[in-house]
Amino acid sequence: MDEVRMVDFARMDEEVFFKRLYVEHRKMYTVAYSYLRTEADALEVVQEASCRAWMKRKKLKDEQSFTPWLIRITINCCMDELRRKKRLIPTEKLAEVATQEMKSNDRIDLERAMNRLKPKYRHVVLLKYYNDMTTIEIAKVLKKPEGTIKTWLREGLKQLRNVLK
């Protein structure tokens, strides 16, 4: 791991890059799964994020920023996938969605409530409670001050409580 830290990320070779990527793979998957809710989609997004990270590795200036940078790329890939899925709803999924609409349990209610949050609040709540990230880590990932993250988290939880009442 020390050899990974000493390498300039802008000139890092493929082997070193993928060693570092491998260390972060589980975290990327957890983030992707918390956004997409299916294993197949999460795995696909992790692969896409890994590819994007490799292509953009020269833009990374600071080794300490590798993990937040990688998580941010993963979140962006998730958001791209969610936008793509909104445009393409397969007809066989329509019956499945209609069936789920009739069910009411805590998990479905929570997912619906999460979907009603503004994206900035949803990102913070997902990273905090689905991925066990601290407010400091979330601030690095989203490139926002820690105070802003705390405010967004408080507001997101307040909105969730109101929707779930």
Side-chain angles (χ1 to χ4, degrees):
M1 194 67 166
D2 288 332
E3 74 178 61
V4 173
R5 288 192 182 135
M6 298 172 81
V7 173
D8 178 11
F9 272 63
R11 289 186 283 280
M12 117 174 17
D13 70 7
E14 187 173 354
E15 183 181 346
V16 173
F17 177 84
F18 285 106
K19 279 182 184 177
R20 184 64 196 264
L21 188 66
Y22 179 77
V23 170
E24 304 298 339
H25 186 263
R26 176 154 304 282
K27 196 176 289 186
M28 292 169 66
Y29 174 80
T30 304
V31 167
Y33 188 85
S34 69
Y35 277 84
L36 302 170
R37 311 307 295 160
T38 69
E39 182 179 3
D41 289 344
L43 289 171
E44 187 176 319
V45 161
V46 167
Q47 188 159 3
E48 174 65 23
S50 299
C51 182
R52 284 187 194 179
W54 171 253
M55 291 186 303
K56 296 180 180 191
R57 72 190 182 285
K58 291 183 174 139
K59 293 182 179 182
L60 182 63
K61 304 291 183 228
D62 177 20
E63 182 269 335
Q64 298 295 327
S65 301
F66 184 79
T67 301
W69 174 76
L70 197 55
I71 298 301
R72 196 168 36 258
I73 290 172
T74 305
I75 290 170
N76 289 340
C77 289
C78 289
M79 298 310 293
D80 290 347
E81 180 65 15
L82 289 170
R83 278 190 290 276
R84 187 187 69 76
K85 280 184 177 271
K86 268 187 182 171
R87 290 191 308 262
L88 305 171
I89 301 177
T91 53
E92 66 268 6
K93 290 275 187 181
L94 292 177
E96 190 179 309
V97 169
T99 304
Q100 283 184 350
E101 289 293 320
M102 296 188 326
K103 294 180 185 175
S104 180
N105 65 33
D106 293 340
R107 191 174 131 246
I108 291 174
D109 291 342
L110 181 58
E111 285 183 23
R112 286 181 184 153
M114 289 291 290
N115 288 334
R116 292 178 66 185
L117 290 178
K118 287 183 179 179
K120 63 183 180 185
Y121 301 146
R122 186 172 53 247
H123 290 314
V124 174
V125 171
L126 281 171
L127 293 172
K128 174 75 175 164
Y129 295 105
Y130 284 64
N131 297 292
D132 293 327
M133 293 177 78
T134 65
T135 53
I136 294 170
E137 292 169 331
I138 296 168
K140 286 180 183 174
V141 167
L142 299 179
K143 292 186 176 179
K144 299 289 181 193
E146 186 181 1
T148 300
I149 299 303
K150 288 178 180 179
T151 300
W152 288 359
L153 184 59
R154 186 174 55 250
E155 185 60 31
L157 293 174
K158 179 179 163 187
Q159 287 183 15
L160 276 176
R161 278 195 232 43
N162 290 337
V163 170
L164 291 171
K165 282 185 180 177

